[in-house]
Amino acid sequence: MRMTLDTTDKRILGALQRAGRMSNADLSDAVNLSPSACHRRVQRLEKDGYIKDYVALLDARKMGVPTTVFVEITLQAQADEVLDAFEKAVARIPDVLECHLMAGTADYLLKVVAENTDDFARIHRQYLARLPGVAQMQSSFALRTVFKTTALPV
């Protein structure tokens, strides 16, 4: 059963999405709660699964993978064993950041990072071309990221 989020819970979640390393004292000031009440609410939000994890978001350019490629994949069949085999194999590719099962013309949409086009050619040859059950693949290179966020609306 999903708990109801009140305005204070939403302010806590919004603040933590912007600055996940914020201390409890700073968070309690930001949402106008006592530190102990704020800590209890954060613990409840974690326990109830609203807060999944705390991570560091790395700069792709500084990490040497500034090229983003979106790959649409169409499978040969929609049988459960084909989907399962594909999903298990794609989850093992280190350069794939996201894999989404789609409705529409493609079955899956992958978000892949690479150093450059030559590196993507290596990823394609070494990993993507070997994925099980693939009938068709189309890759689109992002020229520039106009907007990007990990923050969900609260």
Side-chain angles (χ1 to χ4, degrees), residues 88-97 110 112 123 126-128 131:
K88 285 181 180 129
V90 78
R92 291 191 295 266
I93 303 174
D95 309 285
V96 175
L97 299 185
L110 310 182
V112 180
I123 294 164
Q126 187 175 352
Y127 297 110
L128 300 179
L131 287 168

Side-chain angles (χ1 to χ4, degrees), residues 58-66:
L58 306 182
D59 184 301
R61 190 167 302 284
K62 290 188 179 190
M63 295 303 298
V65 287

Side-chain angles (χ1 to χ4, degrees), residues 21 54-58:
R21 289 186 61 173
Y54 296 91
V55 299
L57 300 175
L58 306 182

